[in-house]
């Protein structure tokens, strides 16, 4: 299955690291940081995993579309459902994308966090995540300098979590109708 994504990496090194990264994510190791994933892969240091996440050139949306195509092709089921969920990641600083004091179910209260909205595909054959969006609060989308410093593309505007979920559902349904192929941002 990982061969389905190989063409998204222009060089062999990130392709191999991406394979080891995914294998690590699917492993039984409890904590899945770049250090632990590197150790799982037999690497002495986390540099390769960190480079994959922070510097390697690859199109995450294209990989998402490839994944969606693989899932529909191998596990497609007319009784499958799409499940939306959000999760927060507690943060201490203010520079990570989308971070502000906001409610997160992770803590069960208002905390300094960033929040992601996720779309899962669930069928009798299994389940997997097939899309994701970072929730950017108004405090972020109205501060273009802050967005630019954090690498947020210029065209990104405020959207509620519900709007992010609806966009992901629409994209997944459209892609399913087109045989698993399709791209929405």
């Amino acid at each position: 299955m990982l061969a389905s994504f190989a063409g998204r990496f222009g060089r062999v090194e990130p392709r191999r690291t991406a394979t080891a990264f995914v294998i690590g994510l699917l492993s039984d190791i409890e904590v899945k940081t770049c250090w632990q994933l590197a150790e799982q892969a037999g690497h002495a240091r986390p540099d390769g995993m960190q480079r994959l996440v922070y510097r390697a050139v690859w199109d995450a949306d294209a990989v998402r579309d490839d994944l969606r195509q693989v899932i529909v092709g191998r596990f497609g089921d007319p009784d499958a459902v799409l499940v939306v969920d959000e999760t927060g990641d507690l943060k201490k600083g203010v520079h990570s994308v989308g971070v502000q004091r906001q409610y997160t179910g992770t803590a069960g209260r208002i905390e300094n966090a960033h929040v992601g909205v996720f779309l899962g595909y669930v069928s009798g054959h299994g389940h997997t995540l097939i899309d994701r969006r970072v929730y950017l609060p108004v405090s972020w989308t109205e501060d273009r300098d802050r967005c630019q410093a954090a690498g947020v593309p210029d065209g990104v505007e405020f959207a509620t979590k519900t709007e992010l979920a609806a966009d992901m559902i629409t994209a997944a349904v459209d892609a399913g109708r087109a045989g698993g192929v399709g791209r929405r941002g």
Side-chain angles (χ1 to χ4, degrees):
M1 179 166 94
L2 292 175
S4 301
F5 311 100
R8 298 298 179 185
F9 300 91
R11 297 178 42 136
V12 69
E13 296 88 354
R15 186 177 314 134
R16 287 182 184 146
T17 304
T19 299
F21 192 90
V22 171
I23 290 169
L25 290 175
L26 296 173
S27 75
D28 290 336
I29 60 174
E30 189 172 323
V31 178
K32 295 178 180 168
T33 67
C34 285
W35 266 108
Q36 282 77 19
L37 296 176
E39 288 176 358
Q40 172 78 11
H43 301 174
R45 301 183 42 82
D47 302 4
M49 299 293 179
Q50 291 170 336
R51 200 170 21 261
L52 175 71
V53 173
Y54 296 111
R55 291 189 189 90
V57 177
W58 56 284
D59 185 337
D61 289 338
V63 171
R64 176 215 44 217
D65 294 345
D66 292 344
L67 172 65
R68 204 165 29 210
Q69 187 170 6
V70 167
I71 296 305
V72 169
R74 293 190 183 186
F75 306 109
D77 185 331
D79 295 326
V81 295
L82 297 173
V83 177
V84 176
D85 196 11
E86 68 175 77
T87 191
D89 188 19
L90 303 180
K91 292 292 189 178
K92 294 193 184 293
V94 296
H95 301 294
S96 295
V97 176
V99 167
Q100 76 169 20
R101 289 192 51 78
Q102 58 189 316
Y103 179 81
T104 172
T106 304
R109 62 185 175 274
I110 294 174
E111 288 284 344
N112 202 49
H114 60 189
V115 174
V117 181
F118 299 89
L119 182 67
Y121 178 91
V122 181
S123 78
H125 306 290
H127 61 277
T128 189
L129 294 176
I130 61 169
D131 207 347
R132 79 284 177 251
R133 298 286 191 284
V134 174
Y135 170 70
L136 287 177
V138 172
S139 66
W140 271 80
T141 57
E142 289 183 350
D143 187 344
R144 298 319 301 174
D145 291 337
R146 186 179 188 191
C147 285
Q148 187 175 30
V152 176
D154 288 336
V156 175
E157 297 179 5
F158 174 75
T160 66
K161 295 171 199 168
T162 302
E163 290 168 336
L164 295 172
D167 185 55
M168 289 188 293
I169 291 168
T170 300
V173 170
D174 289 350
R177 288 186 184 131
V181 183
R183 186 171 198 281
R184 290 188 55 167

